[in-house]
Amino acid sequence: MLYVTIALFALAVGLFALHLFWAKARGWVWKAVAVLGGAMLPAGAYFGLSWAPSEQDMGEVYRIIFVHVPMVWAALLALVVNFVASAAYLFKRSWTSDSLGEAGAEVGVVFGVVGLLLGSIWGRPTWGVWWDWDPRLTTTAIMLVLYTGYLALRKFVDDPEKRATWSAVVGVIAAVDLPIVWFSVRWWKSIHQVQSNPKTIDRSMFVVLVFNVVAFMCALFVYLWHRFLIAKAARAREVALPSALPPAGPQEAA
Amino acid sequence: MSFLTHAMLAQVGQGRIEGGWEYIWAAYGLTWLSLALYGVSLWLRRRSGEPPKELS
C-alpha cells in the first residue's frame, strides 16, 4: 500500500508537471489526471472507511480526517494559486493570470466551504459542538469571507481591466490570511489539533491520508483547469466586444 | 488541583468515542455530493461558453 501510494503520488506530480511545462500535452493530460482521480477517489473512500484501523480515542469518527484534511489542503492550494496569479498579474498584465486567479478563488472557496462543513461535522462528536470561535476555525471563516468578497468584486466590476487589477490587489491582500490559517494551531491555544505528520500518526493511517490527498489533488487540478478555461473564454468574449458602442443614431432614438 | 479545574476536567469525557457512523456517512456524503455538483456545474458552464481563444 505504501509503495502503491508513493507511485501514484509520483504519477500525479509527473502529470501536473507535464501539463505545466508541455503545452502540447494539455489536451490529454487533464483527462489522464481525471481518470487517475476518478479511480483514486472511490478507492480512497474505501480505504478510509474500512481499511484504515480505528483510532485510540476517537474510535471510528476520526475517519472524517480522510476527507476533511485533503479538502482543506486542496482549498489552501487553490488559494495559493490565486495569490501567485494575482501577484503575476500585477507584475505583468495578462488575461491568463487574471483567469487563473479567478479559477483559484472560486475552486478554493468551494473546497474551503465544504472542508469547513466537514470539520464542523467532525467537531460535533469529538468537541461536543458544531462550531467554536477557535483560532483555526475563525481564521478559516475569515479566509472564506475574504475570497467570497474577491469573487463578489469580480461580479460587480464590468470593466475587465479594472476588475483584473482590483481583484489582483485583493487577492494579494487576502493571501496574508493563508499562513495565519496554517500556523494558527501553533501560534495560539486551539482546540483544533496541530498538523499530522508521520511521527504523530500511525503509518497505516498516514498512507491512507496521503492516498486521499493525491486523489483530491487530482480533482482539484481538473476543476481548476476547467474553471480556468471558463474564465479565459469569458475574457475572450469580453475583449472581443467593441470597447465603445457607436452613438445612437436617429433610427435607434426612434 | 483547584475546584474549578476539577469541575472542568469532570466535564471532559473519558475513554473512547463509540459509534458516530452517522457523522462519518454525512461527511463522506457531503464530500461526494459537493464534488459531483461542482463538477456538473463546471461541465454545464463550459458547454455554454465559447472555446478559449489565445489571449496575451
Side-chain angles (χ1 to χ4, degrees):
Chain A
M1 177 74 183
L2 177 65
Y3 296 113
V4 171
T5 303
I6 291 171
L8 290 169
F9 177 78
L11 178 63
V13 170
L15 287 169
F16 298 161
L18 200 63
H19 187 273
L20 202 61
F21 297 113
W22 191 23
K24 286 182 180 175
R26 285 177 189 159
W28 62 267
V29 167
W30 78 264
K31 291 175 185 168
V33 175
V35 169
L36 182 65
M40 286 184 75
L41 279 169
Y46 167 75
F47 292 138
L49 288 170
S50 65
W51 192 84
S54 303
E55 207 268 342
Q56 187 177 355
D57 298 319
M58 286 186 277
E60 309 297 339
V61 171
Y62 97 99
R63 295 179 190 282
I64 297 172
I65 196 174
F66 300 122
V67 285
H68 170 65
V69 169
M71 191 70 86
V72 177
W73 283 7
L76 289 172
L77 190 60
L79 297 176
V80 168
V81 167
N82 170 270
F83 166 69
V84 173
S86 298
Y89 182 84
L90 292 176
F91 277 107
K92 186 186 175 188
R93 292 184 177 192
S94 149
W95 295 121
T96 300
S97 43
D98 178 55
S99 304
L100 191 59
E102 181 180 311
E106 186 187 287
V107 177
V109 167
V110 169
F111 276 64
V113 166
V114 177
L116 196 65
L117 289 172
L118 294 175
S120 177
I121 293 172
W122 193 3
R124 183 66 184 87
T126 49
W127 299 341
V129 290
W130 293 102
W131 179 263
D132 186 81
W133 292 105
D134 163 89
R136 168 56 72 83
L137 277 65
T138 306
T139 52
T140 306
I142 291 170
M143 176 187 83
L144 294 173
V145 169
L146 285 171
Y147 284 97
T148 304
Y150 170 99
L151 293 170
L153 173 70
R154 292 191 66 89
K155 285 279 181 196
F156 291 139
V157 181
D158 290 329
D159 185 322
E161 288 195 18
K162 281 182 184 169
R163 182 204 303 139
T165 306
W166 294 354
S167 59
V169 172
V170 172
V172 169
I173 294 171
V176 172
D177 192 43
L178 300 181
I180 297 175
V181 170
W182 184 262
F183 291 109
S184 58
V185 286
R186 298 185 184 272
W187 288 345
W188 297 292
K189 193 179 284 184
S190 173
I191 56 171
H192 191 287
Q193 68 179 69
V194 296
Q195 291 90 354
S196 298
N197 64 61
K199 290 179 183 172
T200 60
I201 187 170
D202 189 79
R203 185 170 159 177
S204 56
M205 298 171 179
F206 186 73
V207 169
V208 176
L209 182 60
V210 173
F211 188 96
N212 276 286
V213 166
V214 176
F216 276 72
M217 290 305 156
C218 289
L220 173 71
F221 175 87
V222 173
Y223 288 166
L224 263 181
W225 175 241
H226 283 274
R227 186 60 187 82
F228 165 74
L229 291 179
I230 291 166
K232 207 169 175 187
R235 292 301 87 74
R237 283 197 301 275
E238 282 179 331
V239 174
L241 288 172
S243 56
L245 292 170
Q251 71 279 9
E252 288 172 337
Chain B
M1 190 184 295
S2 70
F3 173 76
L4 188 62
T5 309
H6 191 269
M8 284 171 64
L9 287 176
Q11 293 180 37
V12 178
Q14 290 185 344
R16 194 180 198 208
I17 296 173
E18 296 292 336
W21 276 99
E22 64 275 24
Y23 295 102
I24 300 169
W25 288 120
Y28 277 73
L30 174 65
T31 300
W32 281 83
L33 186 68
S34 60
L35 288 177
L37 287 179
Y38 190 57
V40 169
S41 145
L42 290 177
W43 182 63
L44 291 174
R45 280 189 281 174
R46 272 216 73 188
R47 277 187 66 193
S48 64
E50 290 176 1
K53 294 172 184 173
E54 280 305 312
L55 292 172
S56 58

